[in-house]
Amino acid sequence: MKIAALAGGTGAAKLLRGLARLVDPGDLTVIGNTGDDLRLWGLHISPDLDTVCYALGGVVDVAKGWGRRDETFHALEAMGRFGEPTWFGLGDRDLATHLHRTRLLAEGRTLTEATAAVAAGLGVAQRVLPMSDQPVRTRILGPDGWLDFQEYFVREKAQPAVQAVRYDGAESAAPAPGVVEAILEARAVIVCPSNPITSVRPILAVPGIARALEESRATVLAVSPIVGGEAVSGPAGRLMAACGLPVSAIGVTAAYAPWLDTLAVHEGDAPLAADLEARGVAVLVTDTLMTSPAKETALARRLLEALP
Ligand code: GDP
């Protein structure tokens, strides 16, 4: 059973680990957000793709949800002494990923090829694709002007009031090779619990991907990252509000219309079911909080069992 998953970082990584325990590795294709990629110290960093690869490769720092476990930060400290920026916490082992990717890109390989090389080096058996080989950059308008996503999220700790969000470069980007095919050939497309504004919408902004979701015969299921009117973690709530969306499963549905078939919501959000169904979405009420490996697998199993 072929599955395609749209993925951001930390929330997605948990569900993908659950899916990976149930689905043949050759049947799972992950389509990752690259809207929050950045260049630092001359290196190309793809935080969401890396989080996915570290999680599927079994080397992620599970407590933090991102980065590598058993990490050290000697290079970061040494770079600080040269006056280089240290606000983005690059670890020593993590650095190897960015050096490898940047070298491959500098030699003319695509981001798709570099991502496959990173995944293979980490022992990831599933296919991990960037949404596009062309740069798309999520930018956030705060009180003092436009910020790159990581400047807003990491350097400014998501504190600036958000006035607008844009996806620079999206209009001239194309889906990476294999992305549209994976969506069209899948029995199910799973939209992981990820930030709708800064992880899922950048993927949808790449021309052709939203159309593939509409045209695909796959059942499209999403897990709401909003539980009880709040994001489980991170600034998704504030970003949704800034984009005029209600901070609830209703807002998640609005962001994913018109191709969403089923939305999984947490048990406490069951009262929203009638409203969601009136919007044409089937509702799966279940425990969506993945606080342990067993709960990751249980949620993945519920999604697969909900397939017609
Ligand atoms: P980021 O790049 O690390 O921000 O990663 P994502 O785009 O994957 O964002 C994490 C999103 O997932 C946030 O909006 C959280 O509210 C949501 N999230 C994290 N953990 C869980 C979970 O266990 N269950 C659900 N339903 N949502 C989660």
Side-chain angles (χ1 to χ4, degrees), residues 7-14 33 36 47-48 51 65-66 149-150 153 192-196 198-200 223-227 230-237 264 266 288-291 299:
T10 53
K14 294 192 264 180
N33 169 44
D36 55 10
D48 281 356
T51 298
W66 55 272
F149 176 72
Q150 301 297 349
F153 185 58
C192 294
S194 292
N195 189 320
T198 56
S199 287
V200 182
V223 177
S224 175
I226 306 294
V227 171
E230 275 179 35
V232 177
S233 58
H266 194 62
T288 67
L289 290 173
M290 294 174 283
T291 48
L299 179 56

